[in-house]
Structures are given as structure tokens and as C-alpha cells.
Amino acid sequence: MTESTENTASKSFIHEIVEEDNQTGKFEKRVHTRFPPEPNGYLHIGHAKSICLNFGLAQDFGGKTNLRFDDTNPLTEDPEYVDSIKEDVRWLGFEWEGNERYASDYFDQLYEYATDMIKQGKAYVDDLSQEEMRKYRGTLTEPGKDSPHRNRSVEENLDLFERMKNGEFDEGSRVLRVKIDMAAPNMNLRDPVMYRIIKAAHHRTGDKWNIYPTYDWAHGQSDSIEGITHSICTLEFENNRPLYEWYLHNLEIFHSQQIEFARLNLTHTIMSKRKLLKLVEEGVVDGWDDPRMPTLSGLRRRGVTPEAIRNFCDVIGVAKTNSVIDYALFEHTIREDLDARSPRAMAVLKPLKLVIDNFPNDQVEEFEVDYYRHDKERSLTRKVPFSREVYIEQSDFMEEPPPKYFRLSPGREVRLMNACLVTCTDVVKNENGDVVEVHATYDPDSLGGQAPDGRRVKGTLHWVSAAHAVDAEVRLYNHLFDRENPDDTEEGEDFLSAINSNSLEIISDAKVEPALLNDRPDERFQFVRSGYFYVDRENSEDEKLVFNRVVSLRDSWAKQQKRQ
Ligand code: ATP
Ligand code: MG
């Protein structure tokens, strides 16, 4: 383990806050968190950080966690997203308290709260256009101006608000605003909007409503209604906290404690759902669960385990300042997880035929090889057939090898892993002069892979018997974005300009050992020298397997750490 992975920050500053609240009895020692996604897209690795934090905190303190959909905007939300979010949270290994909740469950209550605010003289219907409202709002350095409609009577406001609800007015013609202070230094307190007119059907409330609460009006009250003790959100909401507290205070309802933490950012990755949706809609990727997507469904399809994601969230910890995590650290965590659990097997990604001329034509040797030879605690063997013709990697042969090349070349002896020693005798070339077949002889006394006289053989090659090989398609993935920060764009460009055109390489004629076809001990393998792979069952056929490479073997994170 490298230094940084030992530093598991399971005790975050948020733990300390909760501990203190328990000591002072602030919430009668209750710990009730929630994970509040808006169902307008699939969950991504950033959400996983929030999920692990919210559910983890409740687990650590014997508390509860709600899953609440913040479904206040009918224009972007969809039941497909609701279903995927539930599936992903469960896949990550968490179960929420009772049924899932919805902000839309509280629309009636929120409407009542709003009416209450009007009656208190603390909310008013405004007729300014969006553009005018923006002008009246002022700037960070200049106070805003009161709207001419700010002093409407309670009766008029109640009447107009009810008629907004009943659909009497056009979209954009009126809003309900809270009356706080148009000169407040915190712009969020300059009479923000509570309700806007949206004449669209909602996925749960249908046509009942012509007005919808803003996120800011709905969020804190939803927390309050559910009795959430610690309402954890990302740093952008720090300046909204005074507004949320203002609402709770003036409504005189239960007061949750908001705590902000730094969102997860990863190099070569975007996390905005709006942008991820664009990738899907423009066909840049093959759906939300494309294995190149940072979505949980994409990572799942690629072969990443929920344990790896939870470990990653542990390793990065929870902080109060924004930072960008190196994608290599994420891969490092995935590799550590897969290294421990994955059986080893042989696959040749780019095959070159090797003919062993002195091996009898019809003879088949079977070697008993342990899938878990890396793991003393486990053992499971399979038979690996060996015959006169085998496939080796094209990169494992060079006709004119440079110095320090220890693999196969004319006259050179190497070991075929677990099988025998072979010496290259000849090559066959096509009309372009490319080597298309290599010939060799084997040492019959070396069967099993050991040199009979203990002579040193430097190179060891993996291989697959040609007659027994199973065809495989192998999909290798690279970063979806070339640039470390895809949003770091030149003028006139958007994040799509950072797309890596080589993010997917498909190898359609790979060869894997036959044991993987039917009696697979696992769905994930380490293929010697090429990485960790996951069987894509959906796309595999009876006679042909499809593998996704989850991650290569090259650990650039560990290397980086060593250099430092
Ligand atoms: P987007 O801007 O992509 O729509 P969002 O924050 O609006 O993201 P929500 O569905 O509202 O997405 O997020 C649900 C919860 O997940 C929120 O509490 C939010 O703070 C948290 N979350 C979202 N993105 C991240 C991230 N990158 N790191 C940590 N937490 C995140
Ligand atoms: Mg949001």
C-alpha cells in the first residue's frame, strides 16, 4: 500500500461535529442523514462520495439515512432516473430508511408554508420579468432595489398566489418571492424566488400543479419535515445556508444542521449531469452506462466493484476545501481491489502463431494450473491444454531484438508459462515482410515449465493453445477526455473539444484459454501482463466472449508516489 491509501480518513471533521452534537444532546443523540439526488440523470462517482458519507455516518452512529428525490423541476426529471438511482445506491451496498421520499410528497405542505409566509407579510407575488428582476437584484458591490410590487397587501398576495396555483397566469409572468432584504450583502437573501409558474406535468403529481417550488424553498423544509439532523451538502451551498435557516426560523419548524464539504473532482472527468446527458444525447458514448462514463452504472458495466468505490471514497476522505483528485489514484484503488480478488488466467490479445515443430501433431498435454497462485489462502486449479500450435502476443516476438529484450527472437530460448521451454528456429513472413508465424523446438525434459538442468531462461511468455483457444473480443478503455480539466476550454469551445478520439479500442480477434468459456470461477480476471478484465455477459455469445478491461496493470499512481 502506498502512503496515501493508508491514510483512510474514516474520521472526518463531520464525524467530529456529530460526536459533539451527541455529547451536547443537540438532537437527543439522533443521527438522521439523507441523500437527496435530483432525478435528472444517473448517479456518478461524485455522488458515491456523498452516498458513502451520508450512509456511512449514520452507520457509524447507529442512525438512519433517507433517500429523498429532490424532484422540484418537472422539466428535467424522469422516472427512469429514479429507478437507476435506487439501483445504484443499493449496488453500492446501502439501504435507506423505509420507502424512498420525494420532495413532491411535500408540495401541499410547502404550499401551506408559503401561504403562512404571505400571511406573516414575509412573501409577495412579483410581476417583474426575469430580466428586470436581475437588474433590481444589484451586484456584489451594489445593493439591489425593491420591486414596485414588494408592498402588495397580504390579501392581494394570497389571491394572486392562489390564482398562480390555479393556472390563471402565463409562465414567467409572476413569481412568489420571500421578503428579506434587497440590500443584504449575501445576494441569496435579496428576496429569492420561492415559486415559479411551470405548466408541465410532473412525473409524480401529474397535472395537479401549475407552480413549482424552487430548490432553495423546498430543500431545507424537506429536511425539516423528515427530521433530518445533519443535512450534508457540497460547498456551493455555504452561502445558501443563511437563507435556509431564515426559512426554518420564520416558519418555526424543526431545524436541521447543514454541514458543507468539498465535492469530488477527478482529472480527465466531468461530473455535471447536464454535460453527461449531452454525451449521451449526442451519441459520444453508448448510453449512461457506457464503461467510459464516470457514472456508477458505467463503472459497474466496466467491472469496477462497489467495494473499490467505497474504498476510494474512504481514501480520499472528506475535506472543507475543493481539490482535484488524480484519476490515477482512482485506478490504483480499483487495481488493489481486483488484485486481491481476481483469478489469474491467460489471454492473448494480439495473437501470433508459434509452431513447435518437434511436438507431436496429435498430442495434447494438460497442465493443472492454480487460478490463485498469488494467494496462499485460496486455491482452485483448472486444466490448461497445450499442443503443437500456440498463440503468443505479437509484442513477445522480435526478429531483431534491441538490447535487454528478453522475449522471443531467432535462436533465443524462453519459457512458455507453466508449459515448457522453447527455442525459436525460424519465421514465416507474408508478402509485406511481416512475420506471420514463428517456428520453434521445445525441450521435452522441460514439460511443466522447469529447466531440467536449472539453466537460466530470462523470458516467460503467456500463451493459449491454438486448437483449444476461445475467441474473444476485448475492449480497452482510455480517458474519455484528453485534457486533465475538460472544462479548461479555449474561447468558443466547450468541453466536447477535450474528447479523446481513442477512448475505446476494440480488439476482435483475441484468444483466451478454454476454461473461461464455461466454468469461470469469477467474472473478473487478471490476464497476465495486460490487466484486469470483466466478462461483459450481455454481449458475450456461446462461442465468443467479450471482455472489458477494467484497468491496466501499469500503476502510474504508485510510480508517482515512489518518485516523490
Ligand atoms: P449536477 O450539478 O451534476 O446536477 P448536483 O449536485 O445538482 O449535480 P444532485 O442530484 O443534486 O446533483 O446531487 C445529490 C447529492 O450528491 C447532493 O447532496 C450533492 O451535494 C451530491 N454531489 C453531487 N455531485 C457531487 C460530487 N462531485 N462530489 C460530492 N458530492 C456530490
Ligand atoms: Mg442539484
Side-chain angles (χ1 to χ4, degrees), residues 476-519:
L476 308 179
Y477 301 102
N478 290 307
H479 291 311
L480 192 50
F481 295 98
D482 280 323
R483 269 201 297 277
E484 270 198 13
N485 176 4
D487 286 317
D488 180 13
T489 49
E490 306 274 318
E491 254 200 60
E493 288 181 334
D494 71 357
F495 72 103
L496 291 177
S497 66
I499 287 286
N500 172 11
S501 52
N502 296 315
S503 59
L504 169 61
E505 182 190 350
I506 297 183
I507 297 173
S508 51
D509 55 353
K511 307 283 183 185
V512 301
E513 55 172 284
L516 303 194
L517 191 58
N518 296 316
D519 300 317

mmCIF file of all heavy atoms in Angstrom, residues 476-519:
data_model
loop_
_atom_site.group_PDB
_atom_site.id
_atom_site.type_symbol
_atom_site.label_atom_id
_atom_site.label_comp_id
_atom_site.label_asym_id
_atom_site.label_seq_id
_atom_site.Cartn_x
_atom_site.Cartn_y
_atom_site.Cartn_z
ATOM 1 N N LEU A 476 -10.653 -2.155 -24.725
ATOM 2 C CA LEU A 476 -9.709 -1.412 -23.900
ATOM 3 C C LEU A 476 -10.160 0.042 -23.833
ATOM 4 O O LEU A 476 -10.496 0.643 -24.846
ATOM 5 C CB LEU A 476 -8.299 -1.476 -24.495
ATOM 6 C CG LEU A 476 -7.762 -2.875 -24.823
ATOM 7 C CD1 LEU A 476 -6.349 -2.762 -25.422
ATOM 8 C CD2 LEU A 476 -7.737 -3.760 -23.585
ATOM 9 N N TYR A 477 -10.177 0.586 -22.628
ATOM 10 C CA TYR A 477 -10.676 1.945 -22.450
ATOM 11 C C TYR A 477 -9.572 2.891 -22.025
ATOM 12 O O TYR A 477 -8.693 2.531 -21.249
ATOM 13 C CB TYR A 477 -11.778 1.959 -21.391
ATOM 14 C CG TYR A 477 -12.926 1.057 -21.757
ATOM 15 C CD1 TYR A 477 -13.068 -0.197 -21.163
ATOM 16 C CD2 TYR A 477 -13.840 1.442 -22.726
ATOM 17 C CE1 TYR A 477 -14.105 -1.037 -21.517
ATOM 18 C CE2 TYR A 477 -14.878 0.601 -23.087
ATOM 19 C CZ TYR A 477 -15.010 -0.632 -22.477
ATOM 20 O OH TYR A 477 -16.031 -1.465 -22.836
ATOM 21 N N ASN A 478 -9.669 4.095 -22.540
ATOM 22 C CA ASN A 478 -8.795 5.179 -22.092
ATOM 23 C C ASN A 478 -9.669 6.312 -21.577
ATOM 24 O O ASN A 478 -10.883 6.274 -21.707
ATOM 25 C CB ASN A 478 -7.932 5.670 -23.245
ATOM 26 C CG ASN A 478 -6.902 4.638 -23.628
ATOM 27 O OD1 ASN A 478 -6.153 4.172 -22.778
ATOM 28 N ND2 ASN A 478 -6.896 4.264 -24.892
ATOM 29 N N HIS A 479 -9.021 7.349 -21.051
ATOM 30 C CA HIS A 479 -9.777 8.510 -20.589
ATOM 31 C C HIS A 479 -10.740 8.982 -21.678
ATOM 32 O O HIS A 479 -10.374 9.047 -22.847
ATOM 33 C CB HIS A 479 -8.836 9.671 -20.283
ATOM 34 C CG HIS A 479 -7.987 9.435 -19.093
ATOM 35 N ND1 HIS A 479 -8.496 9.005 -17.885
ATOM 36 C CD2 HIS A 479 -6.650 9.572 -18.904
ATOM 37 C CE1 HIS A 479 -7.515 8.884 -17.018
ATOM 38 N NE2 HIS A 479 -6.375 9.219 -17.605
ATOM 39 N N LEU A 480 -11.923 9.357 -21.267
ATOM 40 C CA LEU A 480 -12.877 9.915 -22.220
ATOM 41 C C LEU A 480 -12.435 11.309 -22.653
ATOM 42 O O LEU A 480 -12.740 11.763 -23.745
ATOM 43 C CB LEU A 480 -14.257 9.960 -21.546
ATOM 44 C CG LEU A 480 -15.481 10.224 -22.382
ATOM 45 C CD1 LEU A 480 -15.551 9.333 -23.614
ATOM 46 C CD2 LEU A 480 -16.728 10.021 -21.524
ATOM 47 N N PHE A 481 -11.697 11.988 -21.786
ATOM 48 C CA PHE A 481 -11.204 13.332 -22.110
ATOM 49 C C PHE A 481 -9.684 13.373 -22.059
ATOM 50 O O PHE A 481 -9.078 12.900 -21.101
ATOM 51 C CB PHE A 481 -11.768 14.356 -21.118
ATOM 52 C CG PHE A 481 -13.254 14.490 -21.211
ATOM 53 C CD1 PHE A 481 -14.069 13.807 -20.327
ATOM 54 C CD2 PHE A 481 -13.840 15.277 -22.196
ATOM 55 C CE1 PHE A 481 -15.460 13.905 -20.420
ATOM 56 C CE2 PHE A 481 -15.217 15.379 -22.293
ATOM 57 C CZ PHE A 481 -16.033 14.683 -21.404
ATOM 58 N N ASP A 482 -9.100 13.951 -23.111
ATOM 59 C CA ASP A 482 -7.646 14.107 -23.160
ATOM 60 C C ASP A 482 -7.145 15.030 -22.067
ATOM 61 O O ASP A 482 -6.159 14.740 -21.402
ATOM 62 C CB ASP A 482 -7.235 14.742 -24.500
ATOM 63 C CG ASP A 482 -7.197 13.701 -25.605
ATOM 64 O OD1 ASP A 482 -6.795 12.568 -25.316
ATOM 65 O OD2 ASP A 482 -7.568 14.036 -26.733
ATOM 66 N N ARG A 483 -7.827 16.168 -21.968
ATOM 67 C CA ARG A 483 -7.333 17.186 -21.047
ATOM 68 C C ARG A 483 -7.602 16.798 -19.602
ATOM 69 O O ARG A 483 -8.636 16.219 -19.297
ATOM 70 C CB ARG A 483 -8.074 18.514 -21.313
ATOM 71 C CG ARG A 483 -7.404 19.421 -22.299
ATOM 72 C CD ARG A 483 -7.872 20.855 -22.114
ATOM 73 N NE ARG A 483 -9.291 21.067 -22.356
ATOM 74 C CZ ARG A 483 -9.831 21.256 -23.554
ATOM 75 N NH1 ARG A 483 -9.085 21.238 -24.620
ATOM 76 N NH2 ARG A 483 -11.123 21.466 -23.679
ATOM 77 N N GLU A 484 -6.674 17.194 -18.720
ATOM 78 C CA GLU A 484 -6.905 16.925 -17.298
ATOM 79 C C GLU A 484 -8.187 17.582 -16.822
ATOM 80 O O GLU A 484 -8.974 16.993 -16.107
ATOM 81 C CB GLU A 484 -5.726 17.436 -16.467
ATOM 82 C CG GLU A 484 -4.671 16.388 -16.297
ATOM 83 C CD GLU A 484 -3.720 16.690 -15.164
ATOM 84 O OE1 GLU A 484 -3.982 17.585 -14.334
ATOM 85 O OE2 GLU A 484 -2.678 16.015 -15.133
ATOM 86 N N ASN A 485 -8.355 18.839 -17.239
ATOM 87 C CA ASN A 485 -9.601 19.522 -16.915
ATOM 88 C C ASN A 485 -10.374 19.770 -18.208
ATOM 89 O O ASN A 485 -10.073 20.697 -18.940
ATOM 90 C CB ASN A 485 -9.314 20.844 -16.204
ATOM 91 C CG ASN A 485 -10.590 21.618 -15.933
ATOM 92 O OD1 ASN A 485 -11.690 21.129 -16.218
ATOM 93 N ND2 ASN A 485 -10.443 22.815 -15.408
ATOM 94 N N PRO A 486 -11.367 18.941 -18.487
ATOM 95 C CA PRO A 486 -12.103 19.074 -19.752
ATOM 96 C C PRO A 486 -12.768 20.444 -19.906
ATOM 97 O O PRO A 486 -13.031 20.875 -21.028
ATOM 98 C CB PRO A 486 -13.163 17.972 -19.657
ATOM 99 C CG PRO A 486 -12.646 17.008 -18.645
ATOM 100 C CD PRO A 486 -11.841 17.805 -17.677
ATOM 101 N N ASP A 487 -13.012 21.113 -18.796
ATOM 102 C CA ASP A 487 -13.687 22.410 -18.871
ATOM 103 C C ASP A 487 -12.726 23.568 -19.087
ATOM 104 O O ASP A 487 -13.135 24.716 -19.186
ATOM 105 C CB ASP A 487 -14.492 22.656 -17.587
ATOM 106 C CG ASP A 487 -15.746 21.793 -17.558
ATOM 107 O OD1 ASP A 487 -16.408 21.700 -18.613
ATOM 108 O OD2 ASP A 487 -16.048 21.218 -16.512
ATOM 109 N N ASP A 488 -11.456 23.259 -19.150
ATOM 110 C CA ASP A 488 -10.450 24.292 -19.372
ATOM 111 C C ASP A 488 -10.368 24.543 -20.887
ATOM 112 O O ASP A 488 -9.484 24.049 -21.569
ATOM 113 C CB ASP A 488 -9.119 23.766 -18.816
ATOM 114 C CG ASP A 488 -8.005 24.774 -18.993
ATOM 115 O OD1 ASP A 488 -8.317 25.938 -19.305
ATOM 116 O OD2 ASP A 488 -6.842 24.383 -18.825
ATOM 117 N N THR A 489 -11.337 25.311 -21.379
ATOM 118 C CA THR A 489 -11.502 25.419 -22.836
ATOM 119 C C THR A 489 -10.973 26.733 -23.392
ATOM 120 O O THR A 489 -10.895 27.730 -22.695
ATOM 121 C CB THR A 489 -12.994 25.327 -23.209
ATOM 122 O OG1 THR A 489 -13.713 26.226 -22.366
ATOM 123 C CG2 THR A 489 -13.518 23.929 -23.014
ATOM 124 N N GLU A 490 -10.626 26.685 -24.688
ATOM 125 C CA GLU A 490 -10.309 27.912 -25.417
ATOM 126 C C GLU A 490 -11.620 28.630 -25.706
ATOM 127 O O GLU A 490 -12.694 28.038 -25.617
ATOM 128 C CB GLU A 490 -9.657 27.568 -26.759
ATOM 129 C CG GLU A 490 -8.441 26.673 -26.646
ATOM 130 C CD GLU A 490 -7.175 27.461 -26.384
ATOM 131 O OE1 GLU A 490 -7.008 28.524 -27.022
ATOM 132 O OE2 GLU A 490 -6.383 27.027 -25.529
ATOM 133 N N GLU A 491 -11.499 29.885 -26.098
ATOM 134 C CA GLU A 491 -12.722 30.634 -26.432
ATOM 135 C C GLU A 491 -13.480 29.963 -27.563
ATOM 136 O O GLU A 491 -12.881 29.499 -28.536
ATOM 137 C CB GLU A 491 -12.353 32.054 -26.846
ATOM 138 C CG GLU A 491 -12.694 33.042 -25.751
ATOM 139 C CD GLU A 491 -12.802 34.450 -26.301
ATOM 140 O OE1 GLU A 491 -13.650 34.697 -27.197
ATOM 141 O OE2 GLU A 491 -12.018 35.267 -25.813
ATOM 142 N N GLY A 492 -14.795 29.935 -27.424
ATOM 143 C CA GLY A 492 -15.623 29.392 -28.492
ATOM 144 C C GLY A 492 -15.698 27.877 -28.502
ATOM 145 O O GLY A 492 -16.369 27.289 -29.337
ATOM 146 N N GLU A 493 -15.008 27.229 -27.576
ATOM 147 C CA GLU A 493 -15.072 25.767 -27.487
ATOM 148 C C GLU A 493 -15.892 25.381 -26.265
ATOM 149 O O GLU A 493 -16.082 26.187 -25.371
ATOM 150 C CB GLU A 493 -13.672 25.197 -27.257
ATOM 151 C CG GLU A 493 -12.746 25.249 -28.436
ATOM 152 C CD GLU A 493 -11.392 24.632 -28.078
ATOM 153 O OE1 GLU A 493 -11.050 24.643 -26.880
ATOM 154 O OE2 GLU A 493 -10.723 24.147 -28.997
ATOM 155 N N ASP A 494 -16.356 24.143 -26.237
ATOM 156 C CA ASP A 494 -16.910 23.652 -24.983
ATOM 157 C C ASP A 494 -16.173 22.375 -24.578
ATOM 158 O O ASP A 494 -15.184 22.004 -25.223
ATOM 159 C CB ASP A 494 -18.425 23.471 -25.054
ATOM 160 C CG ASP A 494 -18.834 22.292 -25.926
ATOM 161 O OD1 ASP A 494 -17.943 21.647 -26.519
ATOM 162 O OD2 ASP A 494 -20.033 22.024 -26.020
ATOM 163 N N PHE A 495 -16.659 21.734 -23.543
ATOM 164 C CA PHE A 495 -15.921 20.577 -23.006
ATOM 165 C C PHE A 495 -15.778 19.446 -24.024
ATOM 166 O O PHE A 495 -14.886 18.619 -23.911
ATOM 167 C CB PHE A 495 -16.604 20.079 -21.721
ATOM 168 C CG PHE A 495 -17.921 19.384 -21.969
ATOM 169 C CD1 PHE A 495 -18.009 18.002 -21.919
ATOM 170 C CD2 PHE A 495 -19.073 20.100 -22.249
ATOM 171 C CE1 PHE A 495 -19.213 17.347 -22.147
ATOM 172 C CE2 PHE A 495 -20.283 19.465 -22.477
ATOM 173 C CZ PHE A 495 -20.354 18.092 -22.438
ATOM 174 N N LEU A 496 -16.652 19.448 -25.044
ATOM 175 C CA LEU A 496 -16.562 18.369 -26.036
ATOM 176 C C LEU A 496 -15.263 18.434 -26.841
ATOM 177 O O LEU A 496 -14.836 17.439 -27.426
ATOM 178 C CB LEU A 496 -17.772 18.417 -26.978
ATOM 179 C CG LEU A 496 -19.123 18.045 -26.339
ATOM 180 C CD1 LEU A 496 -20.251 18.197 -27.345
ATOM 181 C CD2 LEU A 496 -19.089 16.624 -25.787
ATOM 182 N N SER A 497 -14.631 19.607 -26.835
ATOM 183 C CA SER A 497 -13.365 19.718 -27.571
ATOM 184 C C SER A 497 -12.274 18.884 -26.902
ATOM 185 O O SER A 497 -11.218 18.659 -27.484
ATOM 186 C CB SER A 497 -12.928 21.181 -27.635
ATOM 187 O OG SER A 497 -12.624 21.641 -26.329
ATOM 188 N N ALA A 498 -12.504 18.445 -25.681
ATOM 189 C CA ALA A 498 -11.487 17.655 -24.970
ATOM 190 C C ALA A 498 -11.669 16.154 -25.155
ATOM 191 O O ALA A 498 -10.903 15.352 -24.621
ATOM 192 C CB ALA A 498 -11.515 17.994 -23.484
ATOM 193 N N ILE A 499 -12.698 15.773 -25.927
ATOM 194 C CA ILE A 499 -12.966 14.346 -26.104
ATOM 195 C C ILE A 499 -11.756 13.631 -26.715
ATOM 196 O O ILE A 499 -11.153 14.108 -27.667
ATOM 197 C CB ILE A 499 -14.201 14.146 -27.029
ATOM 198 C CG1 ILE A 499 -15.491 14.510 -26.302
ATOM 199 C CG2 ILE A 499 -14.283 12.728 -27.567
ATOM 200 C CD1 ILE A 499 -15.932 13.494 -25.273
ATOM 201 N N ASN A 500 -11.411 12.499 -26.135
ATOM 202 C CA ASN A 500 -10.316 11.678 -26.633
ATOM 203 C C ASN A 500 -10.871 10.725 -27.698
ATOM 204 O O ASN A 500 -11.699 9.864 -27.390
ATOM 205 C CB ASN A 500 -9.723 10.894 -25.451
ATOM 206 C CG ASN A 500 -8.705 9.859 -25.886
ATOM 207 O OD1 ASN A 500 -8.271 9.837 -27.035
ATOM 208 N ND2 ASN A 500 -8.322 9.004 -24.942
ATOM 209 N N SER A 501 -10.403 10.874 -28.925
ATOM 210 C CA SER A 501 -10.971 10.052 -30.003
ATOM 211 C C SER A 501 -10.502 8.598 -29.882
ATOM 212 O O SER A 501 -11.012 7.725 -30.577
ATOM 213 C CB SER A 501 -10.605 10.634 -31.356
ATOM 214 O OG SER A 501 -9.215 10.820 -31.409
ATOM 215 N N ASN A 502 -9.541 8.325 -29.018
ATOM 216 C CA ASN A 502 -9.074 6.946 -28.819
ATOM 217 C C ASN A 502 -9.485 6.394 -27.459
ATOM 218 O O ASN A 502 -8.751 5.629 -26.851
ATOM 219 C CB ASN A 502 -7.550 6.887 -28.931
ATOM 220 C CG ASN A 502 -7.091 7.265 -30.321
ATOM 221 O OD1 ASN A 502 -7.652 6.812 -31.311
ATOM 222 N ND2 ASN A 502 -6.098 8.135 -30.389
ATOM 223 N N SER A 503 -10.645 6.784 -27.005
ATOM 224 C CA SER A 503 -11.033 6.335 -25.667
ATOM 225 C C SER A 503 -11.480 4.879 -25.656
ATOM 226 O O SER A 503 -11.585 4.268 -24.600
ATOM 227 C CB SER A 503 -12.136 7.227 -25.100
ATOM 228 O OG SER A 503 -13.256 7.204 -25.947
ATOM 229 N N LEU A 504 -11.752 4.324 -26.827
ATOM 230 C CA LEU A 504 -12.159 2.914 -26.892
ATOM 231 C C LEU A 504 -11.396 2.220 -28.008
ATOM 232 O O LEU A 504 -11.418 2.670 -29.160
ATOM 233 C CB LEU A 504 -13.671 2.811 -27.155
ATOM 234 C CG LEU A 504 -14.203 1.418 -27.499
ATOM 235 C CD1 LEU A 504 -13.964 0.432 -26.373
ATOM 236 C CD2 LEU A 504 -15.693 1.478 -27.843
ATOM 237 N N GLU A 505 -10.696 1.140 -27.657
ATOM 238 C CA GLU A 505 -10.032 0.318 -28.667
ATOM 239 C C GLU A 505 -10.648 -1.066 -28.591
ATOM 240 O O GLU A 505 -10.654 -1.689 -27.518
ATOM 241 C CB GLU A 505 -8.524 0.244 -28.383
ATOM 242 C CG GLU A 505 -7.762 -0.558 -29.415
ATOM 243 C CD GLU A 505 -6.296 -0.832 -29.008
ATOM 244 O OE1 GLU A 505 -5.831 -0.238 -28.012
ATOM 245 O OE2 GLU A 505 -5.649 -1.644 -29.667
ATOM 246 N N ILE A 506 -11.179 -1.535 -29.723
ATOM 247 C CA ILE A 506 -11.794 -2.864 -29.721
ATOM 248 C C ILE A 506 -10.879 -3.839 -30.442
ATOM 249 O O ILE A 506 -10.498 -3.608 -31.586
ATOM 250 C CB ILE A 506 -13.181 -2.840 -30.403
ATOM 251 C CG1 ILE A 506 -14.122 -1.936 -29.601
ATOM 252 C CG2 ILE A 506 -13.747 -4.252 -30.495
ATOM 253 C CD1 ILE A 506 -15.531 -1.882 -30.138
ATOM 254 N N ILE A 507 -10.520 -4.911 -29.749
ATOM 255 C CA ILE A 507 -9.721 -5.968 -30.366
ATOM 256 C C ILE A 507 -10.658 -7.141 -30.559
ATOM 257 O O ILE A 507 -11.195 -7.680 -29.588
ATOM 258 C CB ILE A 507 -8.554 -6.354 -29.439
ATOM 259 C CG1 ILE A 507 -7.624 -5.156 -29.252
ATOM 260 C CG2 ILE A 507 -7.798 -7.554 -30.007
ATOM 261 C CD1 ILE A 507 -6.544 -5.388 -28.219
ATOM 262 N N SER A 508 -10.894 -7.519 -31.809
ATOM 263 C CA SER A 508 -11.958 -8.504 -32.025
ATOM 264 C C SER A 508 -11.438 -9.926 -32.184
ATOM 265 O O SER A 508 -12.218 -10.859 -32.229
ATOM 266 C CB SER A 508 -12.795 -8.101 -33.233
ATOM 267 O OG SER A 508 -11.936 -7.851 -34.309
ATOM 268 N N ASP A 509 -10.117 -10.101 -32.274
ATOM 269 C CA ASP A 509 -9.621 -11.463 -32.511
ATOM 270 C C ASP A 509 -8.645 -11.921 -31.436
ATOM 271 O O ASP A 509 -7.620 -12.518 -31.731
ATOM 272 C CB ASP A 509 -8.982 -11.549 -33.897
ATOM 273 C CG ASP A 509 -7.893 -10.501 -34.070
ATOM 274 O OD1 ASP A 509 -7.749 -9.639 -33.164
ATOM 275 O OD2 ASP A 509 -7.173 -10.548 -35.081
ATOM 276 N N ALA A 510 -8.988 -11.613 -30.194
ATOM 277 C CA ALA A 510 -8.154 -12.097 -29.096
ATOM 278 C C ALA A 510 -8.472 -13.565 -28.827
ATOM 279 O O ALA A 510 -9.487 -14.090 -29.289
ATOM 280 C CB ALA A 510 -8.410 -11.256 -27.850
ATOM 281 N N LYS A 511 -7.564 -14.233 -28.105
ATOM 282 C CA LYS A 511 -7.740 -15.658 -27.795
ATOM 283 C C LYS A 511 -7.568 -15.858 -26.294
ATOM 284 O O LYS A 511 -6.608 -15.348 -25.710
ATOM 285 C CB LYS A 511 -6.669 -16.498 -28.517
ATOM 286 C CG LYS A 511 -6.587 -16.260 -30.015
ATOM 287 C CD LYS A 511 -7.710 -16.969 -30.730
ATOM 288 C CE LYS A 511 -7.579 -16.787 -32.252
ATOM 289 N NZ LYS A 511 -8.749 -17.373 -32.960
ATOM 290 N N VAL A 512 -8.508 -16.592 -25.705
ATOM 291 C CA VAL A 512 -8.381 -16.852 -24.270
ATOM 292 C C VAL A 512 -8.413 -18.353 -24.021
ATOM 293 O O VAL A 512 -8.886 -19.131 -24.858
ATOM 294 C CB VAL A 512 -9.490 -16.163 -23.442
ATOM 295 C CG1 VAL A 512 -9.451 -14.656 -23.657
ATOM 296 C CG2 VAL A 512 -10.866 -16.726 -23.771
ATOM 297 N N GLU A 513 -7.946 -18.751 -22.860
ATOM 298 C CA GLU A 513 -7.895 -20.185 -22.579
ATOM 299 C C GLU A 513 -9.315 -20.740 -22.407
ATOM 300 O O GLU A 513 -10.227 -20.033 -21.956
ATOM 301 C CB GLU A 513 -7.016 -20.475 -21.365
ATOM 302 C CG GLU A 513 -7.401 -19.735 -20.103
ATOM 303 C CD GLU A 513 -6.606 -20.236 -18.914
ATOM 304 O OE1 GLU A 513 -6.948 -21.338 -18.438
ATOM 305 O OE2 GLU A 513 -5.666 -19.551 -18.461
ATOM 306 N N PRO A 514 -9.506 -22.015 -22.770
ATOM 307 C CA PRO A 514 -10.874 -22.570 -22.852
ATOM 308 C C PRO A 514 -11.615 -22.617 -21.525
ATOM 309 O O PRO A 514 -12.841 -22.573 -21.509
ATOM 310 C CB PRO A 514 -10.653 -23.982 -23.400
ATOM 311 C CG PRO A 514 -9.203 -24.276 -23.211
ATOM 312 C CD PRO A 514 -8.491 -22.962 -23.246
ATOM 313 N N ALA A 515 -10.894 -22.679 -20.417
ATOM 314 C CA ALA A 515 -11.591 -22.794 -19.129
ATOM 315 C C ALA A 515 -12.487 -21.597 -18.864
ATOM 316 O O ALA A 515 -13.424 -21.677 -18.072
ATOM 317 C CB ALA A 515 -10.569 -22.938 -17.999
ATOM 318 N N LEU A 516 -12.228 -20.496 -19.539
ATOM 319 C CA LEU A 516 -13.004 -19.288 -19.243
ATOM 320 C C LEU A 516 -14.390 -19.309 -19.880
ATOM 321 O O LEU A 516 -15.251 -18.513 -19.542
ATOM 322 C CB LEU A 516 -12.252 -18.040 -19.721
ATOM 323 C CG LEU A 516 -10.849 -17.851 -19.160
ATOM 324 C CD1 LEU A 516 -10.366 -16.441 -19.423
ATOM 325 C CD2 LEU A 516 -10.815 -18.138 -17.669
ATOM 326 N N LEU A 517 -14.602 -20.235 -20.813
ATOM 327 C CA LEU A 517 -15.878 -20.228 -21.527
ATOM 328 C C LEU A 517 -17.025 -20.691 -20.639
ATOM 329 O O LEU A 517 -18.059 -20.038 -20.577
ATOM 330 C CB LEU A 517 -15.780 -21.111 -22.777
ATOM 331 C CG LEU A 517 -16.946 -20.993 -23.747
ATOM 332 C CD1 LEU A 517 -17.118 -19.557 -24.230
ATOM 333 C CD2 LEU A 517 -16.743 -21.923 -24.937
ATOM 334 N N ASN A 518 -16.849 -21.789 -19.949
ATOM 335 C CA ASN A 518 -17.979 -22.354 -19.203
ATOM 336 C C ASN A 518 -17.818 -22.348 -17.697
ATOM 337 O O ASN A 518 -18.702 -21.903 -16.981
ATOM 338 C CB ASN A 518 -18.243 -23.768 -19.697
ATOM 339 C CG ASN A 518 -18.673 -23.757 -21.149
ATOM 340 O OD1 ASN A 518 -19.493 -22.923 -21.545
ATOM 341 N ND2 ASN A 518 -18.095 -24.630 -21.952
ATOM 342 N N ASP A 519 -16.686 -22.815 -17.223
ATOM 343 C CA ASP A 519 -16.544 -22.947 -15.774
ATOM 344 C C ASP A 519 -15.741 -21.794 -15.203
ATOM 345 O O ASP A 519 -14.741 -21.999 -14.554
ATOM 346 C CB ASP A 519 -15.865 -24.275 -15.433
ATOM 347 C CG ASP A 519 -16.696 -25.429 -15.937
ATOM 348 O OD1 ASP A 519 -17.925 -25.357 -15.765
ATOM 349 O OD2 ASP A 519 -16.138 -26.373 -16.517
#
